[in-house]
Amino acid sequence: MPTDHQPESPASLLERYSRQLLFQPIGEQGQLQLLQARVAIVGMGALGTVLANHMVRAGVGFVRLIDRDFVETSNLQRQMLYDESDAAGSEPKAIAAAKRLQQANSLVKLEPVVTDLNPSNAEALLSDVELILDGTDNFAVRFLINDVSLKHNIPWIYGGAVSSRGVSMTIIPGETPCLRCMFGQAPAQGTTETCDTAGVIGPIIHTVASHQATEAFKLLVGARGQLNRKMVHWDLWYNQHAAVDVSKARKSDCPACAQARYEYLEQDLEEDTIQTLCGRNSVQIQPVRSGSFQLAEWAEKWKPLGTVELNPFLLRFQPNDSITMILFPDGRLMVQGTDDPVMAKSLYSRYIGM
């Protein structure tokens, strides 16, 4: 649910943002632009929490927080907006983040959205903002962001971090290479390292996200001449830093930015989306036709069949000691305890129906 601006006097505004106003490249005019800006953050995990913290505290007027997941204890080491109570209550990340951020700056309008970004909702969630920030850990989602960015001429800032390594790149349609120019297509699932398979240390998260946030401020206040036009890499543990010139990396035959073929956005949605969550021993099922599930009713149905825990945002069901099923109001189901899509679909069919 969106949170609304709270009135504040001009004097209070000047005090709240006084140190940012003193920074000449932003100043009063830049602050006014930030107050009017609209930003979407995709993913409220490690990178997303740092990005959201910077955007909200700096006074960006509208911030949409998009995340499909809920807080777990293993998140707390690096996802800085959450605490043990969020994990104990299985609070959706977008909701928990919005509550915490509203306490930091009640002037900002926050819109938490608990959903899986996919081709059916990506344009609705991303096309009405002026900047998209990447807080995901998923290349398929990044290529979907890339398609929306190009189709609607909206800049976005790519970021990724794993282990002690990180990377960031600012993508501006028509000016810079896009993600498909750089990588061609999303790597096959399970072929890249993730935080769940290779681990991650907190400082690389802040390094990457703070770079993304700084680039965001430059874009939002119109300081495009100061943008970093390179792909920046870090390895904090091994003291490595590189900035790769990508100014000539735009491809004349790129299917996305040269040929306007938005293949990730226009994927066929005739079948349910079933995704193995690498390194988490979990499978997510997103029905092609999202519905409105009354979680309390499903809790009553499942009580005789296993252990049930319900909160306003999700229903956790354990039919046995090895499987946990987490149902969301739109019908999305996360099956924990298996990485077998066939088994996950069988469980969905058995307990919900296909």
Side-chain angles (χ1 to χ4, degrees):
M1 62 192 77
T3 58
D4 295 325
H5 292 273
Q6 300 297 318
E8 187 156 329
S9 69
S12 297
L13 278 173
L14 289 174
E15 174 60 26
R16 178 183 288 272
Y17 303 118
S18 60
R19 304 309 187 269
Q20 197 160 270
L21 290 165
L22 288 170
F23 180 63
Q24 189 274 329
I26 292 180
E28 185 175 345
Q29 180 58 37
Q31 187 63 57
L32 290 173
Q33 290 172 287
L34 291 177
L35 293 171
Q36 298 301 315
R38 295 175 58 85
V39 171
I41 302 174
V42 183
M44 287 306 301
L47 290 174
T49 53
V50 179
L51 287 167
N53 210 10
H54 282 307
M55 294 302 107
V56 170
R57 290 179 184 275
V60 171
F62 173 89
V63 183
R64 181 175 291 135
L65 312 170
I66 305 167
D67 196 283
R68 67 188 182 189
D69 218 339
F70 52 91
V71 182
E72 299 177 277
T73 303
S74 62
N75 302 147
L76 303 182
Q77 166 254 345
R78 66 199 179 280
Q79 299 183 16
M80 303 298 180
L81 287 178
Y82 311 126
D83 60 28
E84 291 178 353
S85 66
D86 299 319
S90 297
E91 189 90 345
K93 291 181 179 178
I95 301 296
K99 288 178 181 177
R100 202 76 80 248
L101 291 166
Q102 201 69 74
Q103 293 174 347
N105 192 345
S106 60
L107 300 177
V108 172
K109 183 175 182 180
L110 294 167
E111 185 180 275
V113 182
V114 183
T115 193
D116 182 49
L117 191 79
N118 59 63
S120 70
N121 62 20
E123 285 188 272
L125 290 173
L126 301 180
S127 64
D128 65 342
V129 298
E130 59 196 88
L131 178 64
I132 305 166
L133 296 176
D134 170 26
T136 74
D137 58 2
N138 184 307
F139 258 99
V141 173
R142 290 182 180 124
F143 278 90
L144 182 58
I145 294 170
N146 192 67
D147 277 358
V148 176
S149 161
L150 296 170
K151 184 175 180 180
H152 294 276
N153 194 33
I154 301 168
W156 73 285
I157 304 175
Y158 159 58
V162 67
S163 185
S164 60
R165 304 186 306 276
V167 61
S168 181
M169 175 181 164
T170 300
I171 298 172
I172 304 175
E175 294 184 26
T176 70
C178 77
L179 199 67
R180 294 200 69 178
C181 290
M182 301 303 301
F183 297 110
Q185 61 184 10
Q189 196 164 31
T191 61
T192 58
E193 289 184 318
T194 71
C195 295
D196 294 292
T197 59
V200 65
I201 58 173
I204 190 60
I205 301 299
H206 284 264
T207 300
V208 173
S210 294
H211 179 272
Q212 289 177 278
T214 305
E215 292 293 286
F217 294 155
K218 294 175 189 177
L219 280 164
L220 296 174
V221 304
R224 292 198 173 201
Q226 300 303 317
L227 287 170
N228 190 328
R229 303 281 177 153
K230 298 179 179 181
M231 178 178 279
V232 186
H233 298 260
W234 301 266
D235 190 323
L236 297 185
W237 198 261
Y238 296 101
N239 308 309
Q240 296 172 0
H241 173 261
V244 180
D245 186 355
V246 296
S247 60
K248 296 184 176 11
R250 289 187 70 192
K251 293 184 177 178
S252 59
D253 61 348
C254 173
C257 67
Q259 300 174 9
R261 286 168 32 212
Y262 308 123
E263 296 168 351
Y264 287 84
L265 185 57
E266 296 167 357
Q267 288 180 15
D268 186 358
L269 292 176
E270 292 183 359
E271 295 186 0
D272 299 335
T273 300
I274 302 177
Q275 180 183 9
T276 301
L277 304 180
C278 182
R280 296 182 58 181
N281 197 31
S282 301
V283 177
Q284 175 180 266
I285 300 177
Q286 175 73 58
V288 63
R289 294 178 182 84
S290 296
S292 178
F293 279 63
Q294 300 301 316
L295 297 183
E297 294 179 8
W298 283 94
E300 290 301 315
K301 291 180 183 179
W302 287 346
K303 273 182 182 178
L305 307 176
T307 304
V308 170
E309 296 177 35
L310 175 67
N311 70 30
F313 309 103
L314 57 87
L315 170 61
R316 186 192 299 269
F317 170 54
Q318 291 180 284
N320 56 54
D321 291 340
S322 60
I323 293 293
T324 299
M325 299 167 59
I326 297 145
L327 179 66
F328 295 84
D330 63 356
R332 179 166 59 93
L333 183 76
M334 193 177 296
V335 181
Q336 297 178 324
T338 181
D339 58 6
D340 181 356
V342 175
M343 179 179 178
K345 192 165 185 177
S346 175
L347 288 166
Y348 195 107
S349 179
R350 182 187 311 170
Y351 290 105
I352 297 177
M354 300 298 284

